[in-house]
Amino acid sequence: MSDIHGNHEALSAVLADADREGARGTLCLGDVVGYGADPEPCADLLGERGAMIVAGNHEHGALGLMSLRWFNPAARAAAVWTGKRLPEALRVSLSSLPLSLVVEDATVVHASPRRPGEWEYVVTAQDGFEVFGDFGTPLCFLGHTHRPGIWAIGSGGSEHRDRFPAWPVEITLEEGSRYLINVGSVGQPRDGDPRAGYAVWDLDARTVTLRRVPYDHRSAAARIRAAGLPRVLASRLASGA
Ligand code: ZN
């Protein structure tokens, strides 16, 4: 999962769905905090599950590890708000997150396997195919754009998909093929679908399934407004845009 963004309602719904799917571990691709009203409860939920987590730009922004110059005004305000609310122990654990991990046969990053600390956006078909030389594993998971997407290179050629008429979307991982998979966003989807997005990676069946989970986005939006965060961060949850 990726881009939880302090949305406790969405994270709880996704974890319940993952439990029903029989998930045995949690991999988080960063941006646990920022935008939403509940950064600490989200980090706690992941901590309780022993999640493996890589850093996102919103961790670095809230902790003062990067300039907020590249953040838009609402994101900047949220990063400052979040930074003031992170307890010291959580600051320490978030600031020690790696920028990338290799788990089984997958590379795990927040933004891009190419210079992960530069937070480049992998959006188009070309963006994705360009970075296949930047990871050595058959599989790479990323987030950051808040839009699910699949890039695949195999003996039969290459394929990119970022429009999905129906969910869930199951990808069979073929032997000898390589995949770049954007798992979407738990807490602030931006593909026009307000449901929380994440993926189930089944190591035995060799599949990755992109899933969407409805959650109480009205409550999450009310929490954002009550916290005094920029109101646009609340209203966008209803449209998923
Ligand atoms: Zn994000």
Side-chain angles (χ1 to χ4, degrees):
M1 61 179 68
S2 189
D3 296 277
I4 294 152
H5 284 295
N7 187 334
H8 190 253
E9 288 80 1
L11 179 58
S12 302
V14 159
L15 291 174
D17 187 72
D19 285 343
R20 285 191 295 272
E21 290 296 304
R24 287 174 309 197
T26 306
L27 257 176
C28 175
L29 317 187
D31 282 7
V32 177
V33 307
Y35 297 138
D38 292 301
E40 192 184 357
C42 288
D44 287 348
L45 262 185
L46 292 174
E48 286 163 19
R49 298 174 77 98
M52 287 178 274
I53 310 175
V54 295
N57 53 313
H58 280 259
E59 275 76 56
H60 280 212
L63 294 165
L65 299 175
M66 67 181 283
S67 164
L68 297 178
R69 198 159 34 121
W70 306 108
F71 281 48
N72 68 48
R76 195 180 308 139
V80 171
W81 182 95
T82 303
K84 288 184 188 147
R85 275 157 190 82
L86 296 178
E88 186 54 27
L90 184 52
R91 296 184 73 87
V92 170
S93 64
L94 292 179
S95 60
S96 65
L97 295 176
L99 287 169
S100 68
L101 280 172
V102 173
V103 179
E104 301 284 339
D105 57 358
T107 299
V108 177
V109 293
H110 178 65
S112 171
R114 184 170 65 193
R115 302 187 294 267
E118 299 291 317
W119 317 114
E120 294 172 350
Y121 288 89
V122 176
V123 179
T124 65
Q126 186 184 350
D127 293 343
F129 291 124
E130 274 179 8
V131 300
F132 271 73
D134 295 283
F135 59 97
T137 50
L139 190 55
C140 176
F141 291 112
L142 46 66
H144 193 42
T145 65
H146 300 204
R147 292 163 174 268
I150 305 161
W151 292 257
I153 298 181
S155 53
S158 61
E159 189 194 2
H160 170 237
R161 291 172 67 196
D162 63 357
R163 283 176 216 280
F164 306 102
W167 301 87
V169 177
E170 186 179 280
I171 307 141
T172 300
L173 305 172
E174 312 276 0
E175 196 72 50
S177 294
R178 298 183 74 221
Y179 302 85
L180 177 68
I181 298 176
N182 189 318
V183 299
S185 169
V186 171
Q188 198 198 80
R190 294 179 189 161
D191 61 349
D193 184 338
R195 293 176 296 174
Y198 83 109
V200 173
W201 178 23
D202 188 325
L203 291 161
D204 300 322
R206 294 195 53 79
T207 57
V208 174
T209 306
L210 298 171
R211 297 180 63 79
R212 298 308 277 261
V213 185
Y215 76 97
D216 185 358
H217 59 75
R218 284 180 190 83
S219 291
R223 300 266 309 136
I224 287 171
R225 284 191 291 267
L229 283 156
R231 296 179 77 84
V232 62
L233 300 176
S235 57
R236 70 186 308 175
L237 295 182
S239 60

